[in-house]
């Protein structure tokens, strides 16, 4: 099959994530990520180096100056994008 014949895979709500991991996400101070990041089925502690700030009004996500988007983890309040 040619590349033109390959159909795209429907990622559902996972398509909104720049990084989605079940093992963890690490960064260095100068990185910049455009899009949401998330870890599941593990806790937010698996997202390292981002200095996450939990959203006071929406406990299902956090923010970081290095992420244009939000950070999600399995141990955050529902509804996270996985529910």
């Amino acid at each position: 099959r040619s590349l033109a014949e390959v159909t795209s895979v429907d990622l559902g709500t996972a398509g909104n994530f720049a990084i989605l991991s079940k093992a963890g996400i690490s960064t260095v101070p100068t990185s910049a990520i455009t899009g949401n990041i998330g870890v599941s089925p593990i806790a937010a502690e698996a997202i390292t180096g981002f200095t996450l700030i939990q959203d006071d009004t929406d406990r299902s996500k956090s923010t970081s100056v290095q992420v244009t988007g939000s950070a999600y983890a399995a141990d955050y309040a529902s509804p996270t994008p996985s529910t």
Side-chain angles (χ1 to χ4, degrees):
R1 288 172 46 165
S2 72
L3 187 57
E5 295 175 317
V6 176
T7 58
S8 64
V9 175
D10 182 10
L11 298 175
T13 58
N16 296 325
F17 284 82
I19 301 171
L20 190 55
S21 173
K22 69 176 189 176
I25 303 169
S26 296
T27 188
V28 294
T30 58
S31 64
I33 298 170
T34 302
N36 296 327
I37 62 173
V39 293
S40 185
I42 54 182
E45 287 79 23
I47 303 174
T48 61
F50 287 94
T51 312
L52 297 177
I53 301 167
Q54 186 100 40
D55 188 316
D56 288 332
T57 59
D58 183 354
R59 305 295 288 176
S60 70
K61 63 183 179 180
S62 60
T63 59
S64 170
V65 296
Q66 293 174 270
V67 180
T68 303
S70 297
Y72 297 91
D75 64 333
Y76 283 173
S78 290
T80 62
S82 65
T83 60

